[in-house]
Amino acid sequence: MNPEKSAKVIVGRLEMAEGPNRTHGTGTASLMKEREPEKKSEMSEVDLRVGGRKPPAAQFNGSNLSGNEAQPDPRQPDLVEKMLERGNLLSALQAVERNQGAAGVDGMEVAQLRAYLREHWGRIREQILKGEYEPRPVRRVDIPKPGGGTRMLGIPTVLDRLLQQAIQQILTPLWEPEFSAHSYGFRPGRSAQQAVKAAQGHVNGGKRWVVDMDLEKFFDRVNHDVMMARLERKIKDERVLGLIRGYLESGIMRQGIVRVAPESVKRFKDKLRTKFRAGRGRNLKRFLTEDLQPFLRGWASYFSVAETRRVFEDLDEWVRRKLRCMEWRKWKRGRTRYRKLLGLGFTKEKARVCAFNGRGPWWNAGSQHMNAALPTSYFRRLGLVLLIEVVDWLTALRAARAL
């Protein structure tokens, strides 16, 4: 299961609510007992990641909220303030403490959370209000499955579990009325026992089949951009959307190391491809300083906790090749390329061979002659920021602060 599922349970519930009659698995617990251990593992996984078991039944009446009840409009722009209200946060804190659970990548235990909040909550709250809060990576733990193999549990830090719980509490009442009456999974006031009783009622009424439907590896395969677009139809508070996106994209720590998720690397390249297309024909120095530099610094800062240096080095190399490709395209004709290469110190013979080789821009961008013509130092002088250098600087800064 995908490591970025820290916030996805919240989002998954919202996605299910898009269709009011999508879920009809009403009693598989009693009819498929051989799957019960695995279901329990899934429950523990949700508990670890979201930071709290189902809210107490006392908060809800055990069925769908009445559509007549006045609910806050999810499109209002101040949902983050509601999330940060004292009562909501206290309820979230109590849920996290009640659930306990293991420590995340920072090693902080649940018992340490209150003291940490007393000292740092002002700063954290300010970051959230400004949209600057960055979730920590998720710690990966593999547990054996009853039928063989392992199941991945992603364990956020206790602070992130608190914030995820606080988000869940303000969004659940907004989507809960849209769920099917036949849906019992991970809903307030609903339980597997209720699903069993419902199934028994159907059997006693003459029914003979119970259908259990599940989207296999949904959180491994769902497109985050599509998911966020669905949420944006109702949520207009950009800060709440930013928090959810941050939890979706947070990396994973495995065997003691945070890794940058492959999906995040793909989105990085996709966004830069758009920038490179828009930058064709522009002055290279202005393109580097105005378009690339802010994006590269921000991305490197966000993922700087990752300990796998190779991903940053590979992306730096990819960015430089894209820049060389852009410059090769800008030179257009063979004669222009010939003059440019001469100006960059090539001999006439070498410039002629390279300029008229007949290969495409991407091949030339990765060739030895373009690496020699436009080395890393050339781009650095014009304002290129190297991801690995930003990461190393931030890592050293954090280490210094910890002393």
Side-chain angles (χ1 to χ4, degrees), residues 131-161:
E132 298 174 352
Y133 179 80
E134 298 180 2
R136 296 297 304 275
V138 175
R139 181 166 71 90
R140 173 171 179 155
V141 176
D142 294 306
I143 62 172
K145 294 172 62 174
T150 61
R151 177 178 300 281
M152 191 280 289
L153 298 184
I155 307 177
T157 65
V158 292
L159 174 60
D160 282 326
R161 297 211 292 268

Side-chain angles (χ1 to χ4, degrees), residues 16-252:
M16 289 173 62
E18 291 286 9
N21 295 302
R22 291 172 72 173
T23 308
H24 298 279
T26 56
T28 56
S30 62
L31 300 180
M32 303 177 70
K33 289 186 177 180
E34 67 274 12
R35 293 182 58 185
E36 187 172 346
E38 184 173 343
K39 294 291 185 182
K40 290 180 179 178
S41 296
E42 292 177 0
M43 174 66 79
S44 65
E45 176 180 355
V46 172
D47 288 347
L48 281 172
R49 305 205 354 234
V50 177
R53 296 184 177 90
K54 297 179 184 178
Q59 297 180 13
F60 298 90
N61 60 9
S63 62
N64 286 351
L65 292 177
S66 169
N68 297 325
E69 294 184 22
Q71 296 297 331
D73 184 353
R75 294 171 296 181
Q76 58 192 358
D78 60 345
L79 277 181
V80 78
E81 281 79 10
K82 295 183 179 299
M83 168 198 160
L84 296 174
E85 286 179 353
R86 180 178 177 83
N88 186 58
L89 286 170
L90 182 60
S91 177
L93 178 60
Q94 291 170 344
V96 172
E97 291 176 331
R98 182 170 56 250
N99 190 52
Q100 290 299 310
V105 297
D106 60 357
M108 185 189 301
E109 301 287 346
V110 173
Q112 301 172 285
L113 181 57
R114 284 187 182 247
Y116 180 83
L117 292 174
R118 280 194 291 268
E119 183 176 353
H120 300 284
W121 177 244
R123 171 181 56 81
I124 296 168
R125 185 177 188 277
E126 189 68 17
Q127 289 176 342
I128 295 171
L129 287 172
K130 292 181 178 179
E132 298 174 352
Y133 179 80
E134 298 180 2
R136 296 297 304 275
V138 175
R139 181 166 71 90
R140 173 171 179 155
V141 176
D142 294 306
I143 62 172
K145 294 172 62 174
T150 61
R151 177 178 300 281
M152 191 280 289
L153 298 184
I155 307 177
T157 65
V158 292
L159 174 60
D160 282 326
R161 297 211 292 268
L162 170 71
L163 298 179
Q164 290 169 16
Q165 182 70 26
I167 296 172
Q168 178 189 355
Q169 290 172 179
I170 62 167
L171 296 188
T172 292
L174 303 178
W175 267 269
E176 181 66 18
E178 301 183 26
F179 276 80
S180 165
H182 303 288
S183 171
Y184 292 89
F186 307 116
R187 293 178 59 194
R190 294 296 186 99
S191 66
Q193 289 77 11
Q194 292 174 344
V196 170
K197 290 181 180 179
Q200 290 172 341
H202 293 315
V203 171
N204 293 334
K207 307 294 183 181
R208 289 293 177 266
W209 293 89
V210 173
V211 179
D212 176 31
M213 294 188 296
D214 187 22
L215 294 176
E216 183 181 6
K217 296 184 178 179
F218 171 78
F219 290 115
D220 292 348
R221 299 170 179 169
V222 66
N223 184 299
H224 292 168
D225 293 327
V226 173
M227 180 181 290
M228 292 302 301
R230 301 294 287 270
L231 294 183
E232 289 168 7
R233 295 178 183 179
K234 289 190 174 183
I235 301 175
K236 299 304 178 185
D237 192 323
E238 295 291 339
R239 297 162 297 179
V240 172
L241 291 170
L243 275 174
I244 295 175
R245 169 70 84 171
Y247 285 120
L248 288 173
E249 295 184 344
S250 60
I252 178 167

